Amino acid sequence: MFTRNCLSLLLWVLFDGGLLSPLHPQLQQTLEAQPRENVVTMPGRRSSTQRVKRGWVWNQFFVLEEYMGSEPQYVGKLHSDLDKGAGTVKYTLSGDGAGTVFTIDETTGDIHAIRSLDREEKPFYTLRAQAVDIDTRKPLEPESEFIIKVQDINDNEPKFLDGPYVASVPEMSPVGAYVLQVKATDADDPTYGNSARVVYSILQGQPYFSIDPKTGVIRTALPNMDREVKEQYQVLIQAKDMGGQLGGLAGTTTVNITLTDVNDNPPRFPKSIFHLKVPESSLVGSAIGRIRAVDPDLGENAEIEYNIVPGDGGNLFDITTDENTQEGVIKLKKPLDFETKKAYTFKVEASNVHLDHRFHSVGPFKDTATVKINVLDVDEPPVFSKPMYTMEVYEDTPVGTIIGAVTAQDLDVGSSSVRYFIDRKTDSESYFTIDGSEGTIATNELLDRESTAQYNFSVIASKVSNPLLTSKVNVIINVLDVNEFPPEISLPYETSVCENAKPGQVIQTVSAADKDLSPAGQRFSFRLSPEVSTKPNFTVQDYRNNTAGIETRRSGYSRRQQDLYFLPVVIEDSSYPVQSSTNTMTIRVCRCDSDGTILSCNVEAIFLPVGLSTGALIAILLCIVILLVIVVLYVALRRQKKKDTLMTSKEDIRDNVIHYDDEGGGEEDTQAFDIGALRNPKAIEDNKIRRDIKPDTLCFPRQRPPVEDNTDIRDFINQRLQENDADPTAPPYDSLATYAYEGNGSVAESLSSIDSLTTEADQDYDYLSDWGPRFKVLAEMFGEEENCNTDKVT
């Protein structure tokens, strides 16, 4: 470092003395503008007529970086034209580094750098200088600004800021394939000299790779580099400044290059024959062995597809690829049987899934190996001759009848005898039994098809030599039908016929149903019962398709004569033994219109006139009801008039019966209206006691009215009736005053004392109680009068 600094100082002295011309154009221009001394003349304050003499006007200095001398490094000198050398001028310095990096002699204006500078840290400094009168402290001229530049030396080596590098390139790439570009950075000034001009070279990594000296691009230098031979390469790159000349500084970095895989290798079996041993009890679909072909490639380039070459065992085995290990997994497609075949041989082919067309010329990317499988004998359970057994038996078969048999064999070498038994979990009611040695199945209960038509249970077979080895088979027993139920007519059992039906008319189509399980082609026949076939009103027409029609045999049916007919129909089936039944159908005679639509089938309709419509019949019935209501009302009014007649005469006073047709508050309610108008005015004058209520304790002597001729009474009643009819305002408006002549032959006879043969005391009024509730109050009133008379006599 000391030698380098001395060299820099020497160069500066040579340049400053004008002995050497600078290499850099800018520096040369700078030196041409400088005088013999590094002096900056500062302009003074003079009058406009005074001529100012200036030394030079260039306003920047240079200072070498990394100066290591014992004395401060001289930078330059400040001088003002006003300074006559008398010591009256003082120079001041301010700005970047003033006092810390740079100092100035206040009297002479000499500037020195008091410490070493680094251009890479700060390339220039901006300072301000001023000349001041030493006595007055006033500035002699304005403040001037100048720059001190740090002149560069080659003190920084190139550096790889992004290193170390990682790169990759496909294997088998041609020469000159691009790998990576590296870049080195030099902190020195690139505009001055060759300090920052970098040249690249490979120190380690040849002859596999090369680098461009100027750009730093790394490329392959050898063809057919194989990843399977060598995958990783470490390349050492150097960057040297000064254009690579002697004395330049250098920096290095490492580039780790990896060869990526391509599919340039086919799969290969490590051996030509694979031996496998498989127990015959292996399950279908299970893996029985693995084989593997080796492919040195990676990733999808190493994916292998396995196939069985058609031949021996090709239809018994299958092979798939394990995606994780790329092994061929051999699986069983069908069961193995040691007793049938003990060994199998077939070929397996392994090939790449993803091929690279650039390497097709190398050869086929597949390989073939032979697989030999030896089947191992295993002690197996007995094997039934069928996967399932189906048997048939008629219902009601006697207990113990043999239905069929199952058979199982031990196929192992040195076969053992077999025992049979029924799995009672599937036949909990024990409807069947099995012979343990022969395997014959027999009934254990009477079977009824209508109850259970099918039985499904399991039979287990076990080896006598090893009872733990068992096998199971399903047995289905169908119960056959026996013709034990006769056929019957399906609904309906009742139909109807119109009164105006014609001969041969079908009034109903019937079908039959049989509880038995009718076999295919079962036929039912229909016919009339023999007892009605001599003179039938109806007949049965068998259509030969398990249906029959009920037809009329004559024209015209009258409900007046007979409204119901009962037709016995005999139905037979075609099974063995033949079953038949007689079914009685009810035929009702109905009235229909001309189109055959039923109008009425009721029994009461028989008595209606023939030929009348329904509307006419309803009108007739309504008229009859109205007439009956009129008659009833007339009779009721007649009876009411008889009971409510009030007989009054001016000459004599007779017993009067007053009836209040009022539904008010009761018999004793006299406040609803004034009933005085209903009373005999003469009787009111003579007797002030109310006659419409029951007297409490008063007893009045009975007066006998004189007997008058019936004509007078009739005239009196008619006169009063006319008066009431002619007076519409006569109160009460809601009361009925009845005046009637009893006449002869009255059931109640006369209540008056006229023409009475006996005295009032001899009258017995108890019979009034027998006339009903209408005469109850009257009976009680006259009964009390008798009691009063009795008391008086006593």
Side-chain angles (χ1 to χ4, degrees):
M1 182 64 69
F2 178 75
T3 304
R4 183 176 62 183
N5 292 335
C6 293
L7 180 60
S8 299
L9 180 59
L10 178 60
L11 291 174
W12 175 79
V13 172
L14 293 175
F15 282 117
D16 185 57
L19 300 178
L20 295 175
S21 61
L23 296 176
H24 197 277
Q26 183 178 358
L27 181 58
Q28 183 177 2
Q29 294 174 4
T30 302
L31 294 178
E32 290 176 354
Q34 289 182 352
R36 293 186 178 181
E37 290 187 348
N38 226 1
V39 178
V40 175
T41 301
M42 304 178 66
R45 294 180 181 175
R46 292 181 176 85
S47 62
S48 58
T49 58
Q50 185 178 2
R51 183 173 180 270
V52 179
K53 182 182 180 182
R54 304 186 61 87
W56 60 312
V57 295
W58 191 57
N59 62 346
Q60 70 177 4
F61 298 107
F62 289 91
V63 61
L64 288 176
E65 67 171 337
E66 304 293 345
Y67 174 73
M68 302 299 294
S70 58
E71 297 294 333
Q73 183 181 1
Y74 178 76
V75 178
K77 182 182 182 65
L78 295 178
H79 182 72
S80 176
D81 292 341
L82 299 178
D83 186 6
K84 302 302 182 180
T88 61
V89 179
K90 177 182 178 181
Y91 297 95
T92 62
L93 187 66
S94 63
D96 291 344
T100 58
V101 178
F102 303 99
T103 61
I104 188 171
D105 190 317
E106 295 179 352
T107 303
T108 63
D110 294 332
I111 301 173
H112 292 82
I114 60 176
R115 67 179 181 87
S116 177
L117 302 179
D118 186 0
R119 191 201 66 84
E120 287 72 35
E121 180 180 348
K122 190 173 179 64
F124 63 90
Y125 295 85
T126 302
L127 295 100
R128 294 181 299 278
Q130 194 171 30
V132 182
D133 188 280
I134 195 170
D135 295 328
T136 62
R137 301 293 183 180
K138 293 181 178 181
L140 299 177
E141 57 186 34
E143 189 177 54
S144 298
E145 184 178 270
F146 63 95
I147 296 174
I148 299 177
K149 287 190 174 182
V150 181
Q151 192 168 350
D152 181 54
I153 63 173
N154 190 19
D155 60 341
N156 293 281
E157 71 277 4
K159 294 182 179 180
F160 293 93
L161 301 181
D162 298 330
Y165 295 88
V166 176
S168 63
V169 63
E171 63 173 333
M172 311 301 290
S173 296
V175 175
Y178 176 85
V179 179
L180 181 69
Q181 183 178 14
V182 297
K183 184 176 180 60
T185 302
D186 195 325
D188 293 326
D189 189 359
T191 63
Y192 179 73
N194 294 327
S195 299
R197 191 162 67 89
V198 179
V199 175
Y200 301 95
S201 62
I202 293 181
L203 300 181
Q204 177 183 332
Q206 294 176 339
Y208 305 104
F209 300 96
S210 64
I211 189 170
D212 189 299
K214 295 181 179 180
T215 61
V217 174
I218 302 174
R219 300 180 183 274
T220 58
L222 285 180
N224 300 327
M225 287 190 293
D226 194 354
R227 185 199 65 83
E228 288 74 29
V229 177
K230 186 177 182 179
E231 183 178 7
Q232 299 288 340
Y233 294 86
Q234 190 176 66
V235 180
L236 185 61
I237 303 296
Q238 175 184 266
K240 190 174 183 180
D241 60 9
M242 298 299 292
Q245 297 177 6
L246 184 63
L249 303 179
T252 60
T253 187
T254 302
V255 181
N256 295 313
I257 301 175
T258 302
L259 296 182
T260 57
D261 184 63
V262 296
N263 191 11
D264 58 338
N265 295 283
R268 292 288 182 263
F269 284 106
K271 53 185 179 180
S272 59
I273 299 177
F274 291 87
H275 294 275
L276 298 176
K277 295 181 179 180
V278 182
E280 64 174 337
S281 60
S282 298
L283 300 177
V284 175
S286 61
I288 59 176
R290 290 173 176 258
I291 61 174
R292 183 177 182 181
V294 178
D295 190 335
D297 295 325
L298 296 177
E300 68 176 16
N301 297 323
E303 292 182 3
I304 302 174
E305 181 181 13
Y306 296 90
N307 293 288
I308 294 179
V309 178
D312 185 17
N315 59 347
L316 197 64
F317 303 95
D318 193 11
I319 188 169
T320 59
T321 303
D322 188 332
E323 295 181 357
N324 297 323
T325 62
Q326 293 300 312
E327 293 178 317
V329 182
I330 300 176
K331 295 183 178 180
L332 191 63
K333 292 174 61 177
K334 296 181 181 180
L336 298 176
D337 187 9
F338 175 81
E339 288 72 26
T340 303
K341 192 169 185 178
K342 299 177 176 59
Y344 296 90
T345 302
F346 54 90
K347 290 184 177 182
V348 175
E349 182 181 80
S351 59
N352 278 136
V353 178
H354 305 281
L355 300 178
D356 194 332
H357 62 87
R358 294 177 299 173
F359 305 103
H360 285 175
S361 59
V362 178
F365 279 74
K366 58 184 178 180
D367 195 14
T368 304
T370 302
V371 178
K372 291 187 176 181
I373 296 178
N374 294 322
V375 181
L376 302 179
D377 187 24
V378 177
D379 195 8
E380 297 175 303
V383 178
F384 283 95
S385 59
K386 296 180 180 180
M388 183 180 65
Y389 291 86
T390 301
M391 304 175 185
E392 295 180 347
V393 60
Y394 282 98
E395 61 178 333
D396 299 329
T397 298
V399 175
T401 302
I402 296 176
I403 304 172
V406 296
T407 304
Q409 294 180 350
D410 181 17
L411 302 180
D412 292 330
V413 178
S415 59
S416 172
S417 57
V418 179
R419 298 288 297 175
Y420 305 94
F421 56 93
I422 295 177
D423 185 2
R424 289 305 170 188
K425 294 180 181 180
T426 59
D427 185 25
S428 58
E429 301 296 332
S430 299
Y431 285 103
F432 305 95
T433 60
I434 190 170
D435 186 281
S437 301
E438 301 296 332
T440 57
I441 299 174
T443 59
N444 197 37
E445 297 285 346
L446 287 176
L447 305 179
D448 184 12
R449 191 205 63 82
E450 286 70 31
S451 176
T452 304
Q454 188 181 78
Y455 294 88
N456 190 345
F457 57 91
S458 299
V459 174
I460 299 175
S462 64
K463 296 174 66 171
V464 175
S465 60
N466 188 358
L468 297 178
L469 294 176
T470 61
S471 58
K472 185 183 293 187
V473 70
N474 285 339
V475 178
I476 297 176
I477 296 181
N478 296 317
V479 181
L480 302 180
D481 183 48
V482 175
N483 193 23
E484 54 185 341
F485 293 99
E488 297 178 353
I489 289 182
S490 302
L491 294 179
Y493 277 89
E494 183 175 341
T495 186
S496 60
V497 63
C498 293
E499 289 182 313
N500 55 358
K502 298 179 180 180
Q505 181 177 343
V506 178
I507 62 174
Q508 181 67 47
T509 301
V510 296
S511 60
D514 196 338
K515 294 181 181 179
D516 294 316
L517 180 62
S518 301
Q522 173 78 301
R523 296 294 300 273
F524 298 106
S525 61
F526 302 84
R527 57 184 173 85
L528 282 180
S529 180
E531 60 267 20
V532 297
S533 60
T534 57
K535 190 179 180 181
N537 293 303
F538 303 91
T539 186
V540 176
Q541 180 66 37
D542 193 347
Y543 295 147
R544 305 295 180 180
N545 60 353
N546 291 342
T547 61
I550 308 300
E551 297 180 357
T552 58
R553 290 293 301 274
R554 61 185 177 87
S555 60
Y557 294 86
S558 176
R559 287 182 295 167
R560 295 179 180 273
Q561 298 177 0
Q562 186 174 350
D563 63 328
L564 293 177
Y565 291 89
F566 299 97
L567 183 66
V569 179
V570 179
I571 305 176
E572 292 183 353
D573 58 19
S574 59
S575 300
Y576 180 82
V578 176
Q579 298 288 343
S580 64
S581 65
T582 300
N583 301 263
T584 302
M585 291 193 63
T586 301
I587 303 175
R588 186 178 299 275
V589 181
C590 298
R591 187 171 60 86
C592 306
D593 58 11
S594 59
D595 296 332
T597 303
I598 296 176
L599 299 177
S600 175
C601 291
N602 297 330
V603 177
E604 53 270 14
I606 299 175
F607 302 100
L608 297 177
V610 179
L612 293 179
S613 64
T614 304
L617 294 177
I618 294 175
I620 293 172
L621 291 176
L622 185 60
C623 292
I624 294 173
V625 172
I626 292 174
L627 290 175
L628 290 176
V629 172
I630 293 174
V631 171
V632 171
L633 291 177
Y634 178 76
V635 173
L637 290 175
R638 292 286 298 174
R639 288 183 180 181
Q640 190 71 24
K641 289 180 180 180
K642 291 179 181 180
K643 295 178 182 180
D644 296 343
T645 302
L646 177 62
M647 300 179 64
T648 306
S649 178
K650 297 181 180 180
E651 291 80 8
D652 57 300
I653 301 175
R654 300 174 184 271
D655 292 336
N656 298 320
V657 178
I658 299 175
H659 176 72
Y660 305 103
D661 192 7
D662 177 36
E663 298 180 0
E667 295 178 353
E668 298 181 358
D669 184 8
T670 60
Q671 305 301 322
F673 51 84
D674 184 11
I675 63 174
L678 301 179
R679 296 177 181 174
N680 191 329
K682 186 176 182 180
I684 295 175
E685 296 175 359
D686 297 340
N687 188 6
K688 302 300 183 181
I689 301 176
R690 294 177 58 178
R691 299 178 61 187
D692 60 337
I693 62 175
K694 180 179 178 181
D696 294 334
T697 57
L698 296 178
C699 295
F700 299 95
R702 185 184 299 270
Q703 298 181 1
R704 295 178 179 269
V707 179
E708 296 182 1
D709 186 58
N710 292 338
T711 304
D712 297 335
I713 297 174
R714 187 181 301 110
D715 295 338
F716 169 76
I717 292 173
N718 291 332
Q719 181 182 357
R720 296 300 298 270
L721 180 60
Q722 291 177 1
E723 292 176 357
N724 283 274
D725 291 340
D727 187 8
T729 61
Y733 303 104
D734 57 350
S735 301
L736 178 64
T738 304
Y739 304 94
Y741 174 64
E742 295 179 2
N744 296 326
S746 175
V747 178
E749 298 181 1
S750 178
L751 299 179
S752 175
S753 61
I754 301 176
D755 295 337
S756 298
L757 299 177
T758 61
T759 62
E760 185 177 356
D762 296 335
Q763 292 292 329
D764 185 5
Y765 298 101
D766 293 337
Y767 60 88
L768 295 176
S769 301
D770 300 333
W771 289 1
R774 295 173 181 257
F775 298 92
K776 181 179 180 181
V777 177
L778 189 63
E780 292 177 355
M781 294 174 61
F782 282 93
E784 291 182 359
E785 290 181 358
E786 291 179 359
N787 293 336
C788 294
N789 295 331
T790 304
D791 294 339
K792 291 179 180 181
V793 173
T794 303

